[in-house]
């Protein structure tokens, strides 16, 4: 097991630095709550909006983040509806951990088109120096499609406004990949 090299570890290293002073954070796919907990621990001033379409995922996240519940909105809805819940505010950071709930049904996964539309929506709400972290799993069919489509789509982002980085493990087959988007200051 790597200590700093895999995409999840790299995303956490980048997030740790960028969320320190954040005030609004989105966990677009809270799942078992691991990322929500990480964000709550590393962003002491932030309010966090945690989305998932599965009740079990929301329950797992609530249980995992009890200590921080006064700073978290748990939302059982698709991330595509983000604008229903966030009014007139900029977003400092958003995380996506795509695919299926590890402990749940593998047939309920994120969807490439919905993910791309939500990334576009959040991108337009990003504060200066705001970031979006997207972890994806090209080892399963839906994940491979998301990887390909996001790779092509994010290439088109205006580089005067956004910087888009990609990270993967070059000599591992189908390892998780990270897309990192930063808005200029
Ligand atoms: N970050 C999580 C793992 C996420 S797994 C953790 O730390 O444990 C991916 C999650 O995305 C699943 O729980 C799935 O239910 C959720 N999901 C799929 N489509 C979604 C959508 N449109 N909006 C919000 N969540 C979605």
């Amino acid at each position: 097991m790597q200590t700093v090299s895999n995409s999840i570890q790299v995303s956490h290293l980048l997030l740790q630095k960028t969320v320190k002073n954040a005030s609004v954070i989105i966990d677009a796919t809270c799942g078992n709550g691991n990322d929500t907990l990480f964000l709550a621990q590393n962003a002491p001033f932030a309010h966090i909006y945690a989305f998932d379409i599965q009740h079990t995922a929301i329950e797992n996240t609530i249980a995992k983040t009890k200590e921080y519940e006064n700073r978290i909105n748990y939302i059982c809805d698709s991330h595509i509806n983000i604008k229903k819940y966030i009014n007139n505010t900029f977003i400092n950071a958003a995380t996506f951990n795509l695919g299926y709930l590890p402990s749940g049904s593998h047939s309920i996964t994120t969807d490439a088109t919905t993910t791309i539309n939500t990334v576009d929506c959040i991108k337009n709400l990003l504060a200066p120096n705001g970031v979006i972290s997207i972890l994806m799993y090209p080892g399963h069919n839906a994940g491979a499609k998301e990887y390909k489509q996001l790779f092509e789509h994010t290439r088109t982002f205006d580089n005067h406004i956004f910087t888009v980085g990609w990270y993967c493990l070059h000599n591992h087959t189908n390892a998780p990949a990270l897309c990192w988007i930063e808005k200029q200051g």
Side-chain angles (χ1 to χ4, degrees):
M1 183 66 180
Q2 307 87 356
T3 56
V4 290
S5 304
N6 78 44
S7 295
I8 299 166
Q9 292 160 345
V10 170
S11 84
H12 280 189
L13 284 175
L14 293 171
L15 283 166
Q16 222 160 20
K17 185 168 161 66
T18 48
V19 301
K20 255 193 232 153
N21 298 311
S23 30
V24 177
I25 299 182
I26 311 297
D27 183 347
T29 52
C30 64
N32 287 322
N34 297 307
D35 292 311
T36 315
L37 179 62
F38 174 84
L39 292 166
Q41 289 170 333
N42 287 280
F45 311 114
H47 196 88
I48 300 169
Y49 296 82
F51 287 85
D52 206 290
I53 50 172
Q54 297 190 65
H55 281 287
T56 323
I58 294 293
E59 280 160 18
N60 294 350
T61 301
I62 291 173
K64 192 156 285 170
T65 56
K66 267 257 160 292
E67 200 183 328
Y68 304 97
E69 66 183 5
N70 58 340
R71 294 200 283 119
I72 303 173
N73 275 30
Y74 304 95
I75 302 166
C76 192
D77 195 356
S78 169
H79 41 231
I80 193 75
N81 296 320
I82 186 167
K83 281 199 170 158
K84 274 214 265 184
Y85 303 93
I86 293 156
N87 291 319
N88 294 325
T89 180
F90 283 114
I91 293 168
N92 301 107
T95 63
F96 292 76
N97 195 335
L98 302 179
Y100 49 78
L101 187 61
S103 52
S105 159
H106 290 198
S107 62
I108 307 173
T109 75
T110 48
D111 163 74
T113 306
T114 310
T115 301
I116 285 176
N117 289 338
T118 308
V119 168
D120 282 349
C121 175
I122 291 177
K123 160 180 168 259
N124 294 330
L125 297 172
L126 274 187
N129 296 121
V131 297
I132 306 177
S133 164
I134 312 168
L135 280 164
M136 65 206 90
Y137 301 82
H140 66 100
N141 283 345
K145 191 171 160 197
E146 279 179 313
Y147 176 86
K148 261 172 101 175
Q149 293 194 11
L150 272 163
F151 195 77
E152 291 311 319
H153 183 68
T154 52
R155 198 200 294 281
T156 66
F157 289 9
D158 182 347
N159 65 10
H160 296 99
I161 308 176
F162 298 100
T163 297
V164 182
W166 279 80
Y167 180 86
C168 67
L169 296 182
H170 197 43
N171 64 340
H172 290 237
T173 312
N174 290 331
L178 169 68
C179 173
W180 181 263
I181 300 164
E182 178 176 358
K183 187 173 176 175
Q184 322 288 20

PDB file of all heavy atoms in Angstrom, residues 27-36 51-54 57 77-80 97-102 108-111 114, ligand 1:
ATOM      1  N   ASP A  27     -19.364  18.072  -0.594  1.00  0.00           N
ATOM      2  CA  ASP A  27     -18.982  16.682  -0.853  1.00  0.00           C
ATOM      3  C   ASP A  27     -20.106  16.138  -1.743  1.00  0.00           C
ATOM      4  O   ASP A  27     -21.213  15.878  -1.276  1.00  0.00           O
ATOM      5  CB  ASP A  27     -18.861  15.881   0.451  1.00  0.00           C
ATOM      6  CG  ASP A  27     -18.383  14.448   0.175  1.00  0.00           C
ATOM      7  OD1 ASP A  27     -18.398  14.036  -1.006  1.00  0.00           O
ATOM      8  OD2 ASP A  27     -18.012  13.753   1.135  1.00  0.00           O
ATOM      9  N   ALA A  28     -19.829  16.010  -3.031  1.00  0.00           N
ATOM     10  CA  ALA A  28     -20.890  15.697  -4.008  1.00  0.00           C
ATOM     11  C   ALA A  28     -21.327  14.238  -3.955  1.00  0.00           C
ATOM     12  O   ALA A  28     -22.394  13.903  -4.483  1.00  0.00           O
ATOM     13  CB  ALA A  28     -20.407  16.061  -5.414  1.00  0.00           C
ATOM     14  N   THR A  29     -20.524  13.377  -3.330  1.00  0.00           N
ATOM     15  CA  THR A  29     -20.827  11.934  -3.277  1.00  0.00           C
ATOM     16  C   THR A  29     -20.375  11.397  -1.925  1.00  0.00           C
ATOM     17  O   THR A  29     -19.332  10.746  -1.825  1.00  0.00           O
ATOM     18  CB  THR A  29     -20.041  11.186  -4.384  1.00  0.00           C
ATOM     19  OG1 THR A  29     -18.656  11.546  -4.264  1.00  0.00           O
ATOM     20  CG2 THR A  29     -20.525  11.518  -5.787  1.00  0.00           C
ATOM     21  N   CYS A  30     -21.154  11.616  -0.867  1.00  0.00           N
ATOM     22  CA  CYS A  30     -20.586  11.373   0.473  1.00  0.00           C
ATOM     23  C   CYS A  30     -20.434   9.889   0.827  1.00  0.00           C
ATOM     24  O   CYS A  30     -19.629   9.553   1.692  1.00  0.00           O
ATOM     25  CB  CYS A  30     -21.353  12.148   1.530  1.00  0.00           C
ATOM     26  SG  CYS A  30     -23.058  11.667   1.740  1.00  0.00           S
ATOM     27  N   GLY A  31     -21.195   8.993   0.212  1.00  0.00           N
ATOM     28  CA  GLY A  31     -20.982   7.542   0.401  1.00  0.00           C
ATOM     29  C   GLY A  31     -20.928   7.117   1.852  1.00  0.00           C
ATOM     30  O   GLY A  31     -21.886   7.313   2.603  1.00  0.00           O
ATOM     31  N   ASN A  32     -19.783   6.587   2.272  1.00  0.00           N
ATOM     32  CA  ASN A  32     -19.659   6.153   3.672  1.00  0.00           C
ATOM     33  C   ASN A  32     -19.156   7.263   4.588  1.00  0.00           C
ATOM     34  O   ASN A  32     -18.905   7.029   5.772  1.00  0.00           O
ATOM     35  CB  ASN A  32     -18.732   4.933   3.763  1.00  0.00           C
ATOM     36  CG  ASN A  32     -19.427   3.696   3.212  1.00  0.00           C
ATOM     37  OD1 ASN A  32     -20.622   3.506   3.402  1.00  0.00           O
ATOM     38  ND2 ASN A  32     -18.677   2.869   2.489  1.00  0.00           N
ATOM     39  N   GLY A  33     -18.990   8.456   4.051  1.00  0.00           N
ATOM     40  CA  GLY A  33     -18.673   9.606   4.891  1.00  0.00           C
ATOM     41  C   GLY A  33     -17.191   9.854   5.135  1.00  0.00           C
ATOM     42  O   GLY A  33     -16.830  10.775   5.874  1.00  0.00           O
ATOM     43  N   ASN A  34     -16.334   9.062   4.502  1.00  0.00           N
ATOM     44  CA  ASN A  34     -14.891   9.232   4.770  1.00  0.00           C
ATOM     45  C   ASN A  34     -14.371  10.598   4.323  1.00  0.00           C
ATOM     46  O   ASN A  34     -13.602  11.246   5.028  1.00  0.00           O
ATOM     47  CB  ASN A  34     -14.091   8.130   4.074  1.00  0.00           C
ATOM     48  CG  ASN A  34     -14.463   6.769   4.610  1.00  0.00           C
ATOM     49  OD1 ASN A  34     -14.427   6.553   5.810  1.00  0.00           O
ATOM     50  ND2 ASN A  34     -14.864   5.859   3.732  1.00  0.00           N
ATOM     51  N   ASP A  35     -14.824  11.023   3.150  1.00  0.00           N
ATOM     52  CA  ASP A  35     -14.359  12.326   2.656  1.00  0.00           C
ATOM     53  C   ASP A  35     -14.999  13.470   3.435  1.00  0.00           C
ATOM     54  O   ASP A  35     -14.350  14.474   3.720  1.00  0.00           O
ATOM     55  CB  ASP A  35     -14.650  12.471   1.160  1.00  0.00           C
ATOM     56  CG  ASP A  35     -13.803  11.509   0.342  1.00  0.00           C
ATOM     57  OD1 ASP A  35     -12.580  11.463   0.564  1.00  0.00           O
ATOM     58  OD2 ASP A  35     -14.364  10.784  -0.501  1.00  0.00           O
ATOM     59  N   THR A  36     -16.281  13.307   3.797  1.00  0.00           N
ATOM     60  CA  THR A  36     -16.953  14.353   4.589  1.00  0.00           C
ATOM     61  C   THR A  36     -16.209  14.543   5.914  1.00  0.00           C
ATOM     62  O   THR A  36     -15.959  15.672   6.345  1.00  0.00           O
ATOM     63  CB  THR A  36     -18.428  13.983   4.871  1.00  0.00           C
ATOM     64  OG1 THR A  36     -19.020  13.497   3.680  1.00  0.00           O
ATOM     65  CG2 THR A  36     -19.211  15.176   5.377  1.00  0.00           C
ATOM     66  N   PHE A  51     -23.824  15.452  -0.243  1.00  0.00           N
ATOM     67  CA  PHE A  51     -24.886  14.896  -1.091  1.00  0.00           C
ATOM     68  C   PHE A  51     -24.700  13.402  -1.295  1.00  0.00           C
ATOM     69  O   PHE A  51     -23.575  12.920  -1.459  1.00  0.00           O
ATOM     70  CB  PHE A  51     -24.831  15.530  -2.497  1.00  0.00           C
ATOM     71  CG  PHE A  51     -25.314  16.942  -2.560  1.00  0.00           C
ATOM     72  CD1 PHE A  51     -24.457  17.992  -2.272  1.00  0.00           C
ATOM     73  CD2 PHE A  51     -26.627  17.235  -2.918  1.00  0.00           C
ATOM     74  CE1 PHE A  51     -24.908  19.316  -2.335  1.00  0.00           C
ATOM     75  CE2 PHE A  51     -27.081  18.542  -2.983  1.00  0.00           C
ATOM     76  CZ  PHE A  51     -26.215  19.585  -2.696  1.00  0.00           C
ATOM     77  N   ASP A  52     -25.811  12.682  -1.340  1.00  0.00           N
ATOM     78  CA  ASP A  52     -25.807  11.319  -1.884  1.00  0.00           C
ATOM     79  C   ASP A  52     -27.251  10.953  -2.226  1.00  0.00           C
ATOM     80  O   ASP A  52     -28.189  11.416  -1.581  1.00  0.00           O
ATOM     81  CB  ASP A  52     -25.228  10.293  -0.902  1.00  0.00           C
ATOM     82  CG  ASP A  52     -24.655   9.080  -1.638  1.00  0.00           C
ATOM     83  OD1 ASP A  52     -25.440   8.288  -2.205  1.00  0.00           O
ATOM     84  OD2 ASP A  52     -23.420   8.933  -1.685  1.00  0.00           O
ATOM     85  N   ILE A  53     -27.418  10.118  -3.246  1.00  0.00           N
ATOM     86  CA  ILE A  53     -28.780   9.722  -3.641  1.00  0.00           C
ATOM     87  C   ILE A  53     -29.291   8.546  -2.820  1.00  0.00           C
ATOM     88  O   ILE A  53     -30.465   8.232  -2.880  1.00  0.00           O
ATOM     89  CB  ILE A  53     -28.854   9.359  -5.151  1.00  0.00           C
ATOM     90  CG1 ILE A  53     -27.736   8.379  -5.519  1.00  0.00           C
ATOM     91  CG2 ILE A  53     -28.796  10.607  -6.019  1.00  0.00           C
ATOM     92  CD1 ILE A  53     -27.871   7.827  -6.935  1.00  0.00           C
ATOM     93  N   GLN A  54     -28.405   7.904  -2.021  1.00  0.00           N
ATOM     94  CA  GLN A  54     -28.835   6.728  -1.256  1.00  0.00           C
ATOM     95  C   GLN A  54     -28.989   7.065   0.229  1.00  0.00           C
ATOM     96  O   GLN A  54     -28.079   7.619   0.840  1.00  0.00           O
ATOM     97  CB  GLN A  54     -27.811   5.603  -1.401  1.00  0.00           C
ATOM     98  CG  GLN A  54     -27.666   5.106  -2.832  1.00  0.00           C
ATOM     99  CD  GLN A  54     -26.832   3.841  -2.894  1.00  0.00           C
ATOM    100  OE1 GLN A  54     -27.231   2.800  -2.375  1.00  0.00           O
ATOM    101  NE2 GLN A  54     -25.682   3.919  -3.538  1.00  0.00           N
ATOM    102  N   ALA A  57     -26.258   5.758   2.461  1.00  0.00           N
ATOM    103  CA  ALA A  57     -25.026   6.553   2.409  1.00  0.00           C
ATOM    104  C   ALA A  57     -25.152   7.753   3.348  1.00  0.00           C
ATOM    105  O   ALA A  57     -24.231   8.061   4.117  1.00  0.00           O
ATOM    106  CB  ALA A  57     -24.761   7.016   0.983  1.00  0.00           C
ATOM    107  N   ASP A  77     -30.140  13.694  -2.113  1.00  0.00           N
ATOM    108  CA  ASP A  77     -30.605  14.137  -3.434  1.00  0.00           C
ATOM    109  C   ASP A  77     -29.399  14.066  -4.375  1.00  0.00           C
ATOM    110  O   ASP A  77     -28.249  13.989  -3.928  1.00  0.00           O
ATOM    111  CB  ASP A  77     -31.128  15.581  -3.334  1.00  0.00           C
ATOM    112  CG  ASP A  77     -31.957  15.989  -4.560  1.00  0.00           C
ATOM    113  OD1 ASP A  77     -32.071  15.189  -5.518  1.00  0.00           O
ATOM    114  OD2 ASP A  77     -32.477  17.129  -4.561  1.00  0.00           O
ATOM    115  N   SER A  78     -29.691  14.139  -5.665  1.00  0.00           N
ATOM    116  CA  SER A  78     -28.599  14.123  -6.637  1.00  0.00           C
ATOM    117  C   SER A  78     -27.826  15.441  -6.592  1.00  0.00           C
ATOM    118  O   SER A  78     -28.428  16.518  -6.451  1.00  0.00           O
ATOM    119  CB  SER A  78     -29.163  13.932  -8.047  1.00  0.00           C
ATOM    120  OG  SER A  78     -28.149  14.160  -8.993  1.00  0.00           O
ATOM    121  N   HIS A  79     -26.526  15.340  -6.769  1.00  0.00           N
ATOM    122  CA  HIS A  79     -25.703  16.573  -6.788  1.00  0.00           C
ATOM    123  C   HIS A  79     -26.088  17.516  -7.934  1.00  0.00           C
ATOM    124  O   HIS A  79     -25.791  18.696  -7.886  1.00  0.00           O
ATOM    125  CB  HIS A  79     -24.209  16.254  -6.816  1.00  0.00           C
ATOM    126  CG  HIS A  79     -23.800  15.126  -7.695  1.00  0.00           C
ATOM    127  ND1 HIS A  79     -23.012  14.083  -7.259  1.00  0.00           N
ATOM    128  CD2 HIS A  79     -24.071  14.851  -8.988  1.00  0.00           C
ATOM    129  CE1 HIS A  79     -22.798  13.243  -8.244  1.00  0.00           C
ATOM    130  NE2 HIS A  79     -23.434  13.675  -9.299  1.00  0.00           N
ATOM    131  N   ILE A  80     -26.772  16.995  -8.945  1.00  0.00           N
ATOM    132  CA  ILE A  80     -27.191  17.862 -10.056  1.00  0.00           C
ATOM    133  C   ILE A  80     -28.130  18.978  -9.564  1.00  0.00           C
ATOM    134  O   ILE A  80     -28.218  20.046 -10.173  1.00  0.00           O
ATOM    135  CB  ILE A  80     -27.860  17.045 -11.198  1.00  0.00           C
ATOM    136  CG1 ILE A  80     -28.026  17.859 -12.477  1.00  0.00           C
ATOM    137  CG2 ILE A  80     -29.213  16.493 -10.789  1.00  0.00           C
ATOM    138  CD1 ILE A  80     -26.789  18.056 -13.241  1.00  0.00           C
ATOM    139  N   ASN A  97     -16.189  11.636  -5.359  1.00  0.00           N
ATOM    140  CA  ASN A  97     -15.535  10.328  -5.305  1.00  0.00           C
ATOM    141  C   ASN A  97     -16.502   9.421  -6.052  1.00  0.00           C
ATOM    142  O   ASN A  97     -17.515   8.990  -5.496  1.00  0.00           O
ATOM    143  CB  ASN A  97     -15.354   9.935  -3.832  1.00  0.00           C
ATOM    144  CG  ASN A  97     -14.376   8.796  -3.670  1.00  0.00           C
ATOM    145  OD1 ASN A  97     -14.167   8.003  -4.593  1.00  0.00           O
ATOM    146  ND2 ASN A  97     -13.790   8.694  -2.493  1.00  0.00           N
ATOM    147  N   LEU A  98     -16.221   9.202  -7.325  1.00  0.00           N
ATOM    148  CA  LEU A  98     -17.221   8.625  -8.231  1.00  0.00           C
ATOM    149  C   LEU A  98     -17.349   7.109  -8.048  1.00  0.00           C
ATOM    150  O   LEU A  98     -16.662   6.492  -7.257  1.00  0.00           O
ATOM    151  CB  LEU A  98     -16.855   8.968  -9.683  1.00  0.00           C
ATOM    152  CG  LEU A  98     -16.736  10.463  -9.984  1.00  0.00           C
ATOM    153  CD1 LEU A  98     -16.357  10.694 -11.450  1.00  0.00           C
ATOM    154  CD2 LEU A  98     -18.045  11.199  -9.665  1.00  0.00           C
ATOM    155  N   GLY A  99     -18.297   6.551  -8.812  1.00  0.00           N
ATOM    156  CA  GLY A  99     -18.465   5.098  -8.791  1.00  0.00           C
ATOM    157  C   GLY A  99     -19.603   4.670  -7.888  1.00  0.00           C
ATOM    158  O   GLY A  99     -20.596   5.381  -7.746  1.00  0.00           O
ATOM    159  N   TYR A 100     -19.441   3.492  -7.261  1.00  0.00           N
ATOM    160  CA  TYR A 100     -20.515   2.936  -6.423  1.00  0.00           C
ATOM    161  C   TYR A 100     -20.091   2.920  -4.962  1.00  0.00           C
ATOM    162  O   TYR A 100     -18.890   2.989  -4.637  1.00  0.00           O
ATOM    163  CB  TYR A 100     -20.901   1.538  -6.900  1.00  0.00           C
ATOM    164  CG  TYR A 100     -19.733   0.600  -7.104  1.00  0.00           C
ATOM    165  CD1 TYR A 100     -19.102  -0.019  -6.025  1.00  0.00           C
ATOM    166  CD2 TYR A 100     -19.242   0.338  -8.385  1.00  0.00           C
ATOM    167  CE1 TYR A 100     -18.029  -0.872  -6.215  1.00  0.00           C
ATOM    168  CE2 TYR A 100     -18.164  -0.521  -8.583  1.00  0.00           C
ATOM    169  CZ  TYR A 100     -17.566  -1.117  -7.489  1.00  0.00           C
ATOM    170  OH  TYR A 100     -16.492  -1.951  -7.682  1.00  0.00           O
ATOM    171  N   LEU A 101     -21.103   2.826  -4.101  1.00  0.00           N
ATOM    172  CA  LEU A 101     -20.865   2.742  -2.661  1.00  0.00           C
ATOM    173  C   LEU A 101     -20.176   1.400  -2.393  1.00  0.00           C
ATOM    174  O   LEU A 101     -20.757   0.350  -2.684  1.00  0.00           O
ATOM    175  CB  LEU A 101     -22.212   2.824  -1.939  1.00  0.00           C
ATOM    176  CG  LEU A 101     -22.247   2.930  -0.429  1.00  0.00           C
ATOM    177  CD1 LEU A 101     -21.547   4.194   0.047  1.00  0.00           C
ATOM    178  CD2 LEU A 101     -23.691   2.917   0.052  1.00  0.00           C
ATOM    179  N   PRO A 102     -18.948   1.404  -1.845  1.00  0.00           N
ATOM    180  CA  PRO A 102     -18.216   0.138  -1.689  1.00  0.00           C
ATOM    181  C   PRO A 102     -19.025  -0.951  -0.982  1.00  0.00           C
ATOM    182  O   PRO A 102     -18.997  -2.108  -1.371  1.00  0.00           O
ATOM    183  CB  PRO A 102     -16.992   0.551  -0.880  1.00  0.00           C
ATOM    184  CG  PRO A 102     -16.809   1.996  -1.170  1.00  0.00           C
ATOM    185  CD  PRO A 102     -18.183   2.562  -1.409  1.00  0.00           C
ATOM    186  N   ILE A 108     -25.696   0.850  -8.525  1.00  0.00           N
ATOM    187  CA  ILE A 108     -26.002   2.278  -8.346  1.00  0.00           C
ATOM    188  C   ILE A 108     -24.680   3.044  -8.396  1.00  0.00           C
ATOM    189  O   ILE A 108     -23.917   3.062  -7.417  1.00  0.00           O
ATOM    190  CB  ILE A 108     -26.727   2.552  -7.014  1.00  0.00           C
ATOM    191  CG1 ILE A 108     -27.964   1.645  -6.900  1.00  0.00           C
ATOM    192  CG2 ILE A 108     -27.126   4.018  -6.884  1.00  0.00           C
ATOM    193  CD1 ILE A 108     -28.656   1.708  -5.552  1.00  0.00           C
ATOM    194  N   THR A 109     -24.401   3.628  -9.548  1.00  0.00           N
ATOM    195  CA  THR A 109     -23.127   4.342  -9.688  1.00  0.00           C
ATOM    196  C   THR A 109     -23.393   5.773 -10.162  1.00  0.00           C
ATOM    197  O   THR A 109     -24.497   6.083 -10.618  1.00  0.00           O
ATOM    198  CB  THR A 109     -22.197   3.687 -10.738  1.00  0.00           C
ATOM    199  OG1 THR A 109     -22.688   4.010 -12.036  1.00  0.00           O
ATOM    200  CG2 THR A 109     -22.111   2.189 -10.566  1.00  0.00           C
ATOM    201  N   THR A 110     -22.375   6.594 -10.053  1.00  0.00           N
ATOM    202  CA  THR A 110     -22.474   7.936 -10.630  1.00  0.00           C
ATOM    203  C   THR A 110     -22.568   7.796 -12.150  1.00  0.00           C
ATOM    204  O   THR A 110     -22.201   6.765 -12.710  1.00  0.00           O
ATOM    205  CB  THR A 110     -21.247   8.779 -10.234  1.00  0.00           C
ATOM    206  OG1 THR A 110     -20.065   8.009 -10.474  1.00  0.00           O
ATOM    207  CG2 THR A 110     -21.319   9.189  -8.777  1.00  0.00           C
ATOM    208  N   ASP A 111     -23.056   8.860 -12.798  1.00  0.00           N
ATOM    209  CA  ASP A 111     -23.337   8.784 -14.229  1.00  0.00           C
ATOM    210  C   ASP A 111     -22.542   9.893 -14.937  1.00  0.00           C
ATOM    211  O   ASP A 111     -22.542  11.045 -14.479  1.00  0.00           O
ATOM    212  CB  ASP A 111     -24.857   8.996 -14.394  1.00  0.00           C
ATOM    213  CG  ASP A 111     -25.232   9.355 -15.806  1.00  0.00           C
ATOM    214  OD1 ASP A 111     -25.208   8.447 -16.646  1.00  0.00           O
ATOM    215  OD2 ASP A 111     -25.538  10.540 -16.062  1.00  0.00           O
ATOM    216  N   THR A 114     -24.399  13.249 -15.798  1.00  0.00           N
ATOM    217  CA  THR A 114     -24.777  13.988 -14.581  1.00  0.00           C
ATOM    218  C   THR A 114     -23.534  14.568 -13.905  1.00  0.00           C
ATOM    219  O   THR A 114     -23.527  15.726 -13.466  1.00  0.00           O
ATOM    220  CB  THR A 114     -25.495  13.045 -13.584  1.00  0.00           C
ATOM    221  OG1 THR A 114     -26.512  12.351 -14.278  1.00  0.00           O
ATOM    222  CG2 THR A 114     -26.091  13.795 -12.415  1.00  0.00           C
TER     223      THR A 114
HETATM  224  N1  LIG B   1     -16.782   9.491  -0.767  1.00  0.00           N
HETATM  225  C1  LIG B   1     -17.331   8.242  -0.337  1.00  0.00           C
HETATM  226  C2  LIG B   1     -17.445   7.168  -1.450  1.00  0.00           C
HETATM  227  C3  LIG B   1     -18.368   7.583  -2.563  1.00  0.00           C
HETATM  228  S1  LIG B   1     -18.998   6.236  -3.472  1.00  0.00           S
HETATM  229  C4  LIG B   1     -16.634   7.744   0.903  1.00  0.00           C
HETATM  230  O1  LIG B   1     -15.727   8.391   1.383  1.00  0.00           O
HETATM  231  O2  LIG B   1     -17.022   6.694   1.416  1.00  0.00           O
HETATM  232  C5  LIG B   1     -20.000   7.050  -4.656  1.00  0.00           C
HETATM  233  C6  LIG B   1     -21.332   7.524  -4.108  1.00  0.00           C
HETATM  234  O3  LIG B   1     -21.938   8.360  -5.101  1.00  0.00           O
HETATM  235  C7  LIG B   1     -22.344   6.403  -3.812  1.00  0.00           C
HETATM  236  O4  LIG B   1     -22.672   6.414  -2.462  1.00  0.00           O
HETATM  237  C8  LIG B   1     -23.562   6.785  -4.695  1.00  0.00           C
HETATM  238  O5  LIG B   1     -24.799   6.545  -4.066  1.00  0.00           O
HETATM  239  C9  LIG B   1     -23.338   8.274  -4.915  1.00  0.00           C
HETATM  240  N2  LIG B   1     -24.020   8.848  -6.080  1.00  0.00           N
HETATM  241  C10 LIG B   1     -24.245   8.301  -7.296  1.00  0.00           C
HETATM  242  N3  LIG B   1     -24.870   9.176  -8.105  1.00  0.00           N
HETATM  243  C11 LIG B   1     -25.054  10.322  -7.384  1.00  0.00           C
HETATM  244  C12 LIG B   1     -25.646  11.587  -7.666  1.00  0.00           C
HETATM  245  N4  LIG B   1     -26.164  11.849  -8.856  1.00  0.00           N
HETATM  246  N5  LIG B   1     -25.657  12.521  -6.688  1.00  0.00           N
HETATM  247  C13 LIG B   1     -25.107  12.262  -5.459  1.00  0.00           C
HETATM  248  N6  LIG B   1     -24.539  11.063  -5.136  1.00  0.00           N
HETATM  249  C14 LIG B   1     -24.502  10.115  -6.086  1.00  0.00           C
END
